Amino acid sequence: ASSIDPDILDDDSKDHWYLLRVPDAQSLGRNIMATTCSSLTTFDTWLEVYSGTCNDLSLVTYNDDMDELCSLAPMYGRNAMVSWPNVPDVEYRIRVVPFTNNAVGRYALKITC
């Protein structure tokens, strides 16, 4: 499955959080990928993935630049990509953050399971 969620990070919101849970036991060990590699992304993004509850988060993975895997050459320096093995019924929290504190703009988050 795959989805693209275009969104805008503005002065009022310095990060966005997404919740993902893949319940299918057949997906055990298959990688999940999240990326901001898109022509819609207009600022330098950082991705973080956590598991656990809101009060007890554990970092799974993070990334700033993965431009070598993104075919959008003019977007160099803006694209983040993370990949991690799925554990069925675990809730993952994906955080989209600007790399610099004052960055605002548009981005698209694509998640592939």
Side-chain angles (χ1 to χ4, degrees):
S2 178
S3 67
I4 296 179
D5 184 10
D7 210 338
I8 297 175
L9 202 62
D10 57 27
D11 290 329
D12 296 329
S13 57
K14 294 300 180 191
D15 61 359
H16 285 176
W17 289 84
Y18 296 84
L19 181 63
L20 173 69
R21 183 172 63 103
V22 183
D24 186 359
Q26 291 182 352
S27 66
L28 175 64
R30 293 168 81 188
N31 280 353
I32 299 171
M33 184 191 71
T35 182
T36 58
C37 181
S38 169
S39 60
L40 296 175
T41 302
T42 61
F43 65 100
D44 191 0
T45 56
W46 175 277
L47 290 174
E48 298 172 350
V49 178
Y50 296 89
S51 63
T53 63
C54 287
N55 295 329
D56 187 25
L57 293 177
S58 297
L59 182 65
V60 174
T61 188
Y62 65 92
N63 180 263
D64 172 29
D65 293 329
M66 278 300 256
D67 295 316
E68 65 274 8
L69 298 177
C70 181
S71 62
L72 302 170
M75 298 290 131
Y76 280 158
R78 296 183 184 169
N79 306 296
M81 181 183 297
V82 290
S83 179
W84 69 98
N86 179 51
V87 176
D89 294 318
V90 169
E91 288 188 340
Y92 296 103
R93 287 164 173 80
I94 302 169
R95 182 180 180 213
V96 180
V97 187
F99 183 72
T100 56
N101 289 337
N102 298 324
V104 295
R106 193 167 180 79
Y107 70 91
L109 177 65
K110 180 179 181 179
I111 300 170
T112 306
C113 305

